[in-house]
Amino acid sequence: MSEPLEIERKWLIEYPSVDMMKNMTDYDYSEIEQTYTNYMEHSAYGRIRKRGKNGNYKFYKTFKKKITNLTRVEYEDEITEEEYNNIMKYKREGFNTINKVRHTFIYEGLKYEIDVFPFWDDRAFMECEVNSEDVKIPIPPCVKVIKEVTDDKRYTNSNLAQKIITEDLN
Protein backbone atom coordinates (compact mmCIF):
# COMPACT_ATOMS: atom_id res chain seq x y z
CA MET A 1 0.00 0.00 0.00
CA SER A 2 1.44 3.37 -0.98
CA GLU A 3 1.59 6.19 1.53
CA PRO A 4 -0.73 9.21 1.09
CA LEU A 5 1.33 12.01 -0.48
CA GLU A 6 0.71 15.73 -0.31
CA ILE A 7 2.53 17.78 -2.95
CA GLU A 8 1.95 21.48 -2.49
CA ARG A 9 3.42 24.88 -3.21
CA LYS A 10 2.95 27.96 -1.06
CA TRP A 11 3.08 31.72 -1.63
CA LEU A 12 3.05 34.80 0.56
CA ILE A 13 0.47 37.07 -1.07
CA GLU A 14 -0.97 40.54 -0.56
CA TYR A 15 -4.12 40.54 1.54
CA PRO A 16 -6.76 39.22 -0.87
CA SER A 17 -10.09 40.70 -1.85
CA VAL A 18 -12.78 38.39 -0.52
CA ASP A 19 -15.21 39.87 -3.06
CA MET A 20 -12.88 38.87 -5.92
CA MET A 21 -12.43 35.37 -4.47
CA LYS A 22 -16.18 34.92 -4.14
CA ASN A 23 -16.41 35.26 -7.93
CA MET A 24 -14.03 32.32 -8.47
CA THR A 25 -15.34 28.85 -9.39
CA ASP A 26 -16.51 26.71 -6.44
CA TYR A 27 -15.66 29.39 -3.87
CA ASP A 28 -16.14 28.43 -0.23
CA TYR A 29 -14.58 29.26 3.11
CA SER A 30 -14.15 27.74 6.54
CA GLU A 31 -12.92 28.84 9.93
CA ILE A 32 -9.97 26.83 11.23
CA GLU A 33 -8.53 26.49 14.71
CA GLN A 34 -5.21 24.63 14.48
CA THR A 35 -3.10 23.33 17.37
CA TYR A 36 0.25 21.51 17.26
CA THR A 37 0.64 18.63 19.70
CA ASN A 38 3.16 16.23 21.17
CA TYR A 39 0.71 13.47 20.31
CA MET A 40 2.47 11.07 17.94
CA GLU A 41 1.31 8.59 15.30
CA HIS A 42 2.99 7.32 12.12
CA SER A 43 6.37 8.29 13.67
CA ALA A 44 5.42 11.97 13.46
CA TYR A 45 4.11 14.68 15.75
CA GLY A 46 0.73 15.94 14.77
CA ARG A 47 -1.72 18.75 14.77
CA ILE A 48 -5.43 18.89 15.38
CA ARG A 49 -7.97 21.10 13.70
CA LYS A 50 -11.46 22.32 14.35
CA ARG A 51 -12.88 23.32 10.96
CA GLY A 52 -16.24 24.60 9.78
CA LYS A 53 -18.51 27.61 9.84
CA ASN A 54 -21.79 28.89 11.27
CA GLY A 55 -21.44 26.69 14.36
CA ASN A 56 -21.03 23.46 12.38
CA TYR A 57 -17.56 22.02 12.96
CA LYS A 58 -15.65 18.86 12.20
CA PHE A 59 -12.47 17.76 13.94
CA TYR A 60 -9.30 16.27 12.44
CA LYS A 61 -5.91 14.94 13.46
CA THR A 62 -3.06 15.14 10.95
CA PHE A 63 0.48 13.77 10.85
CA LYS A 64 3.03 14.74 8.17
CA LYS A 65 6.51 13.47 7.31
CA LYS A 66 8.68 15.54 4.98
CA ILE A 67 10.06 13.85 1.84
CA THR A 68 11.12 16.99 -0.08
CA ASN A 69 10.34 20.70 0.33
CA LEU A 70 7.22 20.16 -1.80
CA THR A 71 6.22 16.60 -0.89
CA ARG A 72 5.12 15.07 2.39
CA VAL A 73 3.44 11.89 3.51
CA GLU A 74 0.19 13.04 5.11
CA TYR A 75 -2.14 11.04 7.33
CA GLU A 76 -5.38 12.81 8.18
CA ASP A 77 -8.40 11.39 9.97
CA GLU A 78 -11.66 12.88 11.12
CA ILE A 79 -12.07 12.52 14.88
CA THR A 80 -14.79 13.22 17.41
CA GLU A 81 -14.95 16.42 19.42
CA GLU A 82 -14.14 14.33 22.51
CA GLU A 83 -10.96 12.95 20.84
CA TYR A 84 -10.06 16.51 19.79
CA ASN A 85 -10.39 17.74 23.38
CA ASN A 86 -8.36 14.78 24.70
CA ILE A 87 -5.51 15.35 22.21
CA MET A 88 -5.58 19.08 23.07
CA LYS A 89 -4.08 18.04 26.43
CA TYR A 90 -0.88 17.27 24.46
CA LYS A 91 -0.53 20.81 23.08
CA ARG A 92 3.13 21.50 22.31
CA GLU A 93 4.78 23.89 24.71
CA GLY A 94 5.76 27.15 23.05
CA PHE A 95 3.22 26.71 20.24
CA ASN A 96 0.14 28.94 20.08
CA THR A 97 -3.16 27.82 18.58
CA ILE A 98 -3.58 29.42 15.16
CA ASN A 99 -6.94 30.76 14.04
CA LYS A 100 -7.47 31.47 10.36
CA VAL A 101 -10.10 31.66 7.67
CA ARG A 102 -9.43 29.43 4.67
CA HIS A 103 -10.89 30.52 1.35
CA THR A 104 -10.98 27.85 -1.37
CA PHE A 105 -11.73 27.99 -5.07
CA ILE A 106 -10.87 26.37 -8.39
CA TYR A 107 -8.81 28.13 -11.05
CA GLU A 108 -7.77 26.45 -14.30
CA GLY A 109 -8.66 23.05 -12.86
CA LEU A 110 -6.57 23.42 -9.70
CA LYS A 111 -7.81 23.91 -6.13
CA TYR A 112 -6.37 26.92 -4.30
CA GLU A 113 -6.49 27.60 -0.58
CA ILE A 114 -5.93 31.10 0.77
CA ASP A 115 -5.41 31.42 4.51
CA VAL A 116 -6.16 34.77 6.15
CA PHE A 117 -4.91 35.26 9.71
CA PRO A 118 -6.20 37.76 12.31
CA PHE A 119 -2.63 38.94 13.03
CA TRP A 120 -1.96 40.06 9.44
CA ASP A 121 -3.96 42.74 7.63
CA ASP A 122 -1.58 43.16 4.68
CA ARG A 123 -0.75 39.59 3.64
CA ALA A 124 -1.92 35.98 3.61
CA PHE A 125 -0.83 32.55 2.38
CA MET A 126 -1.92 30.79 -0.80
CA GLU A 127 -1.36 27.07 -1.31
CA CYS A 128 -2.03 24.80 -4.25
CA GLU A 129 -1.83 21.02 -4.06
CA VAL A 130 -0.80 19.17 -7.23
CA ASN A 131 -0.12 15.61 -8.42
CA SER A 132 3.59 16.06 -9.15
CA GLU A 133 6.38 18.48 -8.25
CA ASP A 134 6.85 19.67 -11.84
CA VAL A 135 3.26 20.85 -12.48
CA LYS A 136 3.13 24.49 -13.63
CA ILE A 137 0.77 26.38 -11.33
CA PRO A 138 -1.02 29.42 -12.78
CA ILE A 139 -1.53 32.35 -10.42
CA PRO A 140 -5.23 33.29 -10.13
CA PRO A 141 -6.15 36.85 -11.19
CA CYS A 142 -7.55 37.63 -7.72
CA VAL A 143 -4.08 37.17 -6.16
CA LYS A 144 -0.99 39.39 -5.99
CA VAL A 145 2.06 37.30 -5.10
CA ILE A 146 4.73 38.81 -2.85
CA LYS A 147 6.96 35.74 -3.14
CA GLU A 148 6.92 31.96 -3.23
CA VAL A 149 7.68 30.52 0.22
CA THR A 150 7.43 26.78 -0.44
CA ASP A 151 11.09 26.31 0.52
CA ASP A 152 11.16 28.85 3.35
CA LYS A 153 10.45 27.19 6.69
CA ARG A 154 9.87 30.60 8.32
CA TYR A 155 6.47 30.52 6.59
CA THR A 156 5.22 27.17 7.86
CA ASN A 157 2.14 27.23 10.03
CA SER A 158 4.06 25.47 12.80
CA ASN A 159 6.64 28.28 12.75
CA LEU A 160 3.85 30.88 12.84
CA ALA A 161 2.38 29.02 15.83
CA GLN A 162 5.67 29.45 17.67
CA LYS A 163 5.98 33.14 16.88
CA ILE A 164 2.45 34.38 16.22
CA ILE A 165 4.25 37.07 14.51
CA THR A 166 6.72 38.48 16.89
CA GLU A 167 8.93 39.37 13.95
CA ASP A 168 8.17 40.74 10.52
CA LEU A 169 8.37 38.08 7.82
CA ASN A 170 9.08 39.76 4.47
Side-chain angles (χ1 to χ4, degrees), residues 36-136:
Y36 290 88
T37 71
N38 286 321
Y39 186 79
M40 185 178 259
E41 284 184 17
H42 307 287
S43 302
Y45 290 112
R47 69 165 190 235
I48 52 175
R49 278 184 173 169
K50 174 181 171 182
R51 183 176 182 166
K53 60 185 173 187
N54 303 323
N56 297 313
Y57 295 96
K58 290 186 176 185
F59 303 88
Y60 302 90
K61 64 180 178 181
T62 305
F63 303 89
K64 295 183 181 187
K65 290 191 276 187
K66 181 178 176 176
I67 296 174
T68 71
N69 283 338
L70 275 71
T71 303
R72 289 170 180 69
V73 176
E74 179 182 63
Y75 299 96
E76 184 169 76
D77 295 304
E78 188 172 338
I79 59 175
T80 66
E81 184 173 5
E82 182 179 5
E83 287 174 290
Y84 175 86
N85 290 329
N86 284 335
I87 296 172
M88 185 66 85
K89 296 172 189 169
Y90 299 96
K91 181 177 178 179
R92 288 181 80 178
E93 189 174 326
F95 285 68
N96 297 294
T97 294
I98 293 177
N99 291 291
K100 59 187 177 181
V101 175
R102 172 163 289 167
H103 302 270
T104 59
F105 56 84
I106 304 295
Y107 178 68
E108 293 192 12
L110 295 172
K111 182 178 181 180
Y112 291 82
E113 298 176 336
I114 294 182
D115 290 344
V116 174
F117 301 90
F119 48 81
W120 279 344
D121 60 4
D122 60 344
R123 65 190 100 172
F125 286 145
M126 178 178 73
E127 297 178 348
C128 184
E129 200 167 316
V130 291
N131 294 332
S132 93
E133 289 193 6
D134 58 358
V135 169
K136 182 168 172 31

Side-chain angles (χ1 to χ4, degrees), residues 5-46:
L5 294 181
E6 172 194 63
I7 303 170
E8 107 185 332
R9 298 214 1 232
K10 185 174 193 173
W11 294 265
L12 181 66
I13 63 170
E14 290 183 10
Y15 199 90
S17 163
V18 174
D19 289 338
M20 286 180 73
M21 286 190 293
K22 284 180 179 178
N23 290 322
M24 302 300 287
T25 303
D26 292 336
Y27 170 81
D28 200 5
Y29 78 94
S30 59
E31 300 159 0
I32 297 174
E33 178 182 278
Q34 180 168 300
T35 303
Y36 290 88
T37 71
N38 286 321
Y39 186 79
M40 185 178 259
E41 284 184 17
H42 307 287
S43 302
Y45 290 112

Side-chain angles (χ1 to χ4, degrees), residues 117-169:
F117 301 90
F119 48 81
W120 279 344
D121 60 4
D122 60 344
R123 65 190 100 172
F125 286 145
M126 178 178 73
E127 297 178 348
C128 184
E129 200 167 316
V130 291
N131 294 332
S132 93
E133 289 193 6
D134 58 358
V135 169
K136 182 168 172 31
I137 301 174
I139 302 301
C142 61
V143 170
K144 290 185 180 150
V145 171
I146 297 171
K147 65 181 176 178
E148 183 168 357
V149 295
T150 302
D151 296 333
D152 190 337
K153 63 184 174 195
R154 293 179 302 160
Y155 293 93
T156 63
N157 281 310
S158 64
N159 192 43
L160 290 183
Q162 292 173 74
K163 300 199 182 329
I164 299 291
I165 314 309
T166 57
E167 64 184 68
D168 194 350
L169 294 176

